[in-house]
Amino acid sequence: MLEEYIYNAYMESFENKRRGDKLEEIESIQKYIRSAKKIVIPNWTTTKVKIINKVLNEFNLNSAKHFEFPTNSADFFRMPALAKAQMALDLCDCDLVIARGRLGIPGSGSLMLFLDSKGRILTGACSASHVVHGKSLESAVYDEITECLERIGLTKE
Amino acid sequence: MLEEYIYNAYMESFENKRRGDKLEEIESIQKYIRSAKKIVIPNWTTTKVKIINKVLNEFNLNSAKHFEFPTNSADFFRMPALAKAQMALDLCDCDLVIARGRLGIPGSGSLMLFLDSKGRILTGACSASHVVHGKSLESAVYDEITECLERIGLTKE
């Protein structure tokens, strides 16, 4: 399903005719996320998993499983959040990864990413470092996962 | 300057002692952005450049220059916003790139990224597709650039 929309958008860009995201593209992402059964959250601790699942349930989506492995090596990469998501994809069987990690260099705050079973980016949300926003970890994660879903047109049911 | 903080954070991660971003790391990013003189915005049109410069001025930062080149090839990559920023870095002399492009696959909305002269990610902000948020392009870009700066603790002066 996604391949068809990605192919068409690729050709539009090639022909210099691309004019922004289309409703059917967004709906195909919604459909992928709604039908995802093996959702994993790579992490070393469980705090974030509980909050993410709370929000997934509020949006009437399937729950995610905690995929526990030492994730600090993700910080050695230029985009730790993406590295962490890709590691989880390569290390376990899943059709959706929800990963949260650093956006870029130390101090750059966090990024939450949704990756599909091929490692393609479906949605994401950035937030500031704790030092700047002053929110609790729970509240920051709650806001990020909500934004990830709302920005692709999903709503609480 | 940034190298020292990145090295220290790297060692903290290696020793499994890393506990989130530190104030001095965030301040080193602020300092880099404040002292950036050759700021470029890769783009094919000028609309976004005006708005970004309006906000940079509100934050008392140097203005950016429009770096014009055909950017639609960035859409052929998995993270178009990052690809566009890296292209600009490789194609012109600058110490800061501010690029806006697609986050991931078609439908995934947009991402604005700040890259330093080595291509390291300093800050960023995501926003939904026009189809979802319904904002004008001007308003969406205004909000993204403001978020990029505020999330690393910069304020309007």
Side-chain angles (χ1 to χ4, degrees):
Chain A
M1 268 294 286
L2 291 177
E3 286 74 16
E4 187 188 329
Y5 294 107
I6 296 171
Y7 183 89
N8 291 341
Y10 188 104
M11 290 312 293
E12 283 176 1
S13 292
F14 179 73
E15 291 162 5
N16 203 17
K17 287 178 186 162
R18 179 83 184 153
R19 298 289 172 269
D21 290 343
K22 292 173 186 167
L23 186 60
E24 62 255 38
E25 293 164 352
I26 298 165
E27 285 171 348
S28 72
I29 295 178
Q30 293 175 0
K31 204 171 167 183
Y32 186 95
I33 293 173
R34 278 208 194 96
S35 63
K37 285 190 172 61
K38 293 181 189 171
I39 309 176
V40 298
I41 302 168
N43 221 331
W44 193 231
T45 54
T46 55
T47 328
K48 296 170 197 171
V49 181
K50 283 182 197 162
I51 301 153
I52 291 174
N53 271 332
K54 185 174 181 289
V55 176
L56 289 176
N57 294 340
E58 286 172 5
F59 280 79
N60 209 19
L61 297 165
N62 290 321
S63 294
K65 280 190 181 141
H66 183 199
F67 178 56
E68 198 175 332
F69 73 105
T71 55
N72 50 337
S73 58
D75 284 352
F76 304 152
F77 292 82
R78 279 204 154 183
M79 230 176 163
L82 181 63
K84 195 190 281 187
Q86 290 170 334
M87 282 173 193
L89 183 67
D90 293 352
L91 292 173
C92 78
D93 177 39
C94 58
D95 43 33
L96 185 66
V97 179
I98 303 175
R100 184 186 192 251
R102 215 164 61 209
L103 167 67
I105 67 168
S108 64
S110 79
L111 171 66
M112 183 180 281
L113 283 177
F114 279 48
L115 255 61
D116 77 358
S117 60
K118 288 187 178 181
R120 298 174 295 196
I121 300 172
L122 305 184
T123 184
C126 296
S127 77
S129 309
H130 175 76
V131 186
V132 174
H133 63 56
K135 287 182 202 172
S136 66
L137 176 68
E138 286 76 6
S139 165
V141 172
Y142 186 93
D143 291 348
E144 279 171 53
I145 177 75
T146 304
E147 197 191 321
C148 279
L149 297 168
E150 287 183 343
R151 68 189 286 290
I152 47 159
L154 289 168
T155 49
K156 293 187 186 185
E157 293 178 27
Chain B
M1 268 296 284
L2 292 176
E3 285 73 16
E4 188 189 328
Y5 294 105
I6 296 171
Y7 182 89
N8 291 341
Y10 188 104
M11 292 311 294
E12 282 176 1
S13 291
F14 179 73
E15 290 161 6
N16 204 15
K17 287 176 186 163
R18 180 82 185 154
R19 296 290 173 270
D21 291 342
K22 293 173 184 168
L23 186 59
E24 62 256 37
E25 294 164 352
I26 297 166
E27 285 171 346
S28 73
I29 295 177
Q30 293 175 359
K31 204 171 168 184
Y32 186 94
I33 293 172
R34 277 207 194 94
S35 62
K37 285 188 172 62
K38 292 181 190 172
I39 310 176
V40 298
I41 302 168
N43 221 331
W44 192 232
T45 55
T46 55
T47 328
K48 296 170 199 171
V49 181
K50 283 182 196 163
I51 300 153
I52 292 174
N53 271 331
K54 184 175 182 286
V55 176
L56 289 176
N57 294 340
E58 285 172 6
F59 280 78
N60 209 20
L61 298 165
N62 290 320
S63 293
K65 280 188 182 141
H66 182 199
F67 178 55
E68 198 176 331
F69 73 104
T71 54
N72 51 336
S73 58
D75 283 353
F76 304 152
F77 292 82
R78 278 205 156 183
M79 234 179 157
L82 181 62
K84 195 190 280 188
Q86 290 169 334
M87 281 174 194
L89 183 67
D90 293 352
L91 293 173
C92 78
D93 177 39
C94 58
D95 43 34
L96 186 64
V97 180
I98 304 175
R100 183 187 193 254
R102 216 163 61 208
L103 167 68
I105 67 166
S108 64
S110 80
L111 172 66
M112 185 181 280
L113 284 177
F114 279 47
L115 255 61
D116 78 358
S117 60
K118 288 187 177 180
R120 297 176 294 197
I121 299 172
L122 306 184
T123 184
C126 296
S127 78
S129 310
H130 174 75
V131 186
V132 174
H133 63 55
K135 288 182 200 171
S136 66
L137 177 68
E138 287 76 6
S139 165
V141 172
Y142 186 94
D143 291 348
E144 279 170 53
I145 176 76
T146 304
E147 196 190 322
C148 279
L149 297 168
E150 286 182 345
R151 68 189 286 291
I152 46 159
L154 289 168
T155 48
K156 294 188 185 184
E157 293 181 23

